[in-house]
Amino acid sequence: MTIEGIGVATVLAGLWVLWQGPVAAFWVLALSTLLGAAAAFKLPAFGDASVPPVLVVAVFLAMSVALRPRLRGAALESLAPSGPGFWMLLFTAYAVASAYFMPRLFQGLTFAYSLARNDADVGIVSLPLRARATNATQAVYLVAELGCFMSIWALMIRGRAKAITNTLIVCAVALLASAVADVTTHYTGTEFLLSWLRNANYRMLESGEIGGFKRIVGTFTEAGAFSYAAIGFYAFSLSLWLDGVRTRITGLLALLLALSLLLSTSTTAYASFAMFSSLMLAGALVKLAKGQATRRDCGYLVIFLMIPFLLLVVIMFVPSIWSAVTGLFDATVSNKLESQSGIERMRWNYFALKNFRDTSGFGAGLGSVRASSFVVALLANIGVIGLLLFVVTLASAFTTGRLLSFEDAVARAGLRACLALIGAACLSAGSVDLGFVFFIFFALAASARKLGKRAAPELAESNPVIGARHFKLQGA
């Protein structure tokens, strides 16, 4: 094992949070999710695999929770039968078991696109199916994310919703700052200033341009990874704004994150933003038809209705900008499937579905197959059973309760963020692992069942729909 400079800082931060407590651990964990191109350690025994800082911090968060009896009990309670945690446990257990058994059971039966790290094969290549290091690393990620889910769920039901929300707001600000730093260093020729954050053994695409626009990657490996995180934080911020939580900052964050998605030049960003916006617009229209729309719901509708008018103004008065935008749209959307990247990703999906058929619907095992869609990756890696378990896990987090408290607003924001991330993953995710960002938001969403009937002290007055017009966060 090789330890990097970032790894030393991560371990020191982990030891610090053991002393400070779980809330501090969550702060470090959430911020470390933004270091998508960084490696804390490298493991030569596993094909020189990179261990990201977030994985290390997740261990310290779990330890911090386990050391406190009340939180430890709450974390175990998250796995109670029929709840989201229970189904997530079953999903994780089945996926981890598949990582061991399926590549051995179907060894040599089919060829699969997989990540190879050796002298002969570097990158995504087609290889005969067999057990590989990626089976073990993907299993470790899912187990760590289950522990992350349990820890954050425990914090939510033990009254730490304010601290969690403040942390995620700061993370959204940090994500925007990383985008600004990425674009600035690119155009000033100072990319080396961020090189220390890009030390992982991943394929780095930090210098690309499309149609004269810099592809925004922030502290991630490529624009798609940046937009995946950005769409989650956008959905979270927008939901909080619509529900009246710290409207000034959450509204501004939602606006800036939407702008970063539109400027990212990522096809995933555009498609997932369109899907999520359609979902939110439909919800706002239903509330308007029922006479339940709030002032912010109406404002959201007005903003989107103004977009065609603003585009018309741009076409009439600034044709050069319109030409640049249409060129970007052609490169990232219209002609995407004809590009080398689009052809390559479609090839991955084609052979992933072939792997699914070759294994009779059982899948080749967690981590065995690379795809370019979360649904295809689920089918190719863990089969029909894994897909059904995930669907049940996600569905179990949905609640029909009214918004009664601040915690309810945070839980609903977490659920909306999950839906946005699922949409993005279905478009371009290469594996079954949805990342720590998803499981942070899923923990918030899953806590709604436990917290749904509690009324928080922050409940304000006179909302004509839910009995509360504005939620106010106090403290950090």
Side-chain angles (χ1 to χ4, degrees), residues 306-328:
M306 287 177 59
I307 291 177
F309 173 75
L310 294 176
L311 291 177
L312 180 62
V313 171
V314 169
I315 294 172
M316 293 176 59
F317 295 101
V318 197
S320 59
I321 293 180
W322 177 248
S323 298
V325 171
T326 54
L328 177 63

Side-chain angles (χ1 to χ4, degrees), residues 28-352:
V28 178
L29 175 87
L31 290 169
S32 64
T33 62
L34 306 182
L35 303 178
F41 306 98
K42 294 178 181 177
L43 305 175
F46 287 87
D48 208 26
S50 298
V51 179
V54 65
L55 186 61
V56 179
V57 179
V59 175
F60 285 103
L61 171 62
M63 291 171 60
S64 181
V65 169
L67 290 172
R68 289 157 176 82
R70 290 184 73 249
L71 286 176
R72 181 173 65 244
L76 293 174
E77 186 184 351
S78 70
L79 304 179
S82 78
F86 173 77
W87 293 110
M88 184 178 169
L89 174 64
L90 291 184
F91 170 77
T92 303
Y94 180 79
V96 171
S98 76
Y100 181 82
F101 290 106
M102 298 308 180
R104 292 166 173 81
L105 180 63
F106 298 113
Q107 182 170 339
L109 182 65
T110 185
F111 277 73
Y113 275 94
S114 185
L115 180 64
R117 295 188 183 94
N118 54 53
D119 294 336
D121 299 303
V122 179
I124 308 299
V125 293
S126 180
L127 298 168
L129 179 62
R130 65 175 178 84
R132 302 185 186 281
T134 50
N135 298 120
T137 54
Q138 287 287 297
V140 169
Y141 276 116
L142 278 190
V143 171
E145 285 159 354
L146 175 62
C148 174
F149 165 84
M150 295 169 62
S151 300
I152 297 170
W153 192 90
L155 290 174
M156 274 293 290
I157 68 169
R158 293 301 183 210
R160 300 296 190 274
K162 287 182 182 179
I164 290 173
T165 305
N166 284 331
T167 303
L168 294 176
I169 287 174
V170 171
C171 283
V173 174
L175 181 65
L176 289 169
S178 75
V180 172
D182 176 45
V183 174
T184 302
T185 56
H186 174 78
Y187 286 113
T188 58
T190 56
E191 296 96 332
F192 64 90
L193 294 175
L194 296 178
S195 60
W196 64 280
L197 290 173
R198 295 167 176 156
N199 66 327
N201 288 333
Y202 305 138
R203 185 182 178 189
M204 301 290 176
L205 301 174
E206 75 278 9
S207 300
E209 290 188 12
I210 292 182
F213 290 85
K214 165 72 170 72
R215 305 206 73 191
I216 300 177
V217 302
T219 49
F220 294 87
T221 56
E222 44 96 19
F226 169 84
S227 63
Y228 179 75
I231 191 67
F233 283 104
Y234 164 73
F236 183 76
S237 300
L238 177 64
S239 180
L240 291 180
W241 178 75
L242 288 172
D243 288 336
V245 178
R246 297 190 68 176
T247 52
R248 289 185 181 179
I249 187 169
T250 55
L252 179 60
L253 279 176
L255 178 63
L256 294 177
L257 285 165
L259 183 62
S260 74
L261 287 166
L262 295 176
L263 295 176
S264 68
T265 74
S266 167
T267 306
T268 299
Y270 301 150
S272 60
F273 182 78
M275 289 191 299
F276 180 73
S277 297
S278 298
L279 179 66
M280 296 300 293
L281 284 170
L285 287 171
V286 169
K287 292 173 69 175
L288 184 64
K290 293 181 177 180
Q292 298 176 347
T294 65
R295 198 170 45 182
R296 282 176 291 277
D297 291 323
C298 295
Y300 182 71
L301 288 170
V302 169
I303 289 171
F304 269 88
L305 290 174
M306 287 177 59
I307 291 177
F309 173 75
L310 294 176
L311 291 177
L312 180 62
V313 171
V314 169
I315 294 172
M316 293 176 59
F317 295 101
V318 197
S320 59
I321 293 180
W322 177 248
S323 298
V325 171
T326 54
L328 177 63
F329 180 82
D330 289 339
T332 57
V333 180
S334 299
N335 303 321
K336 177 64 176 181
L337 294 181
E338 299 176 7
S339 67
Q340 181 179 353
S341 172
I343 293 171
E344 183 181 40
R345 288 177 178 274
M346 289 303 100
R347 185 186 301 120
W348 293 350
N349 283 340
Y350 173 81
F351 281 98

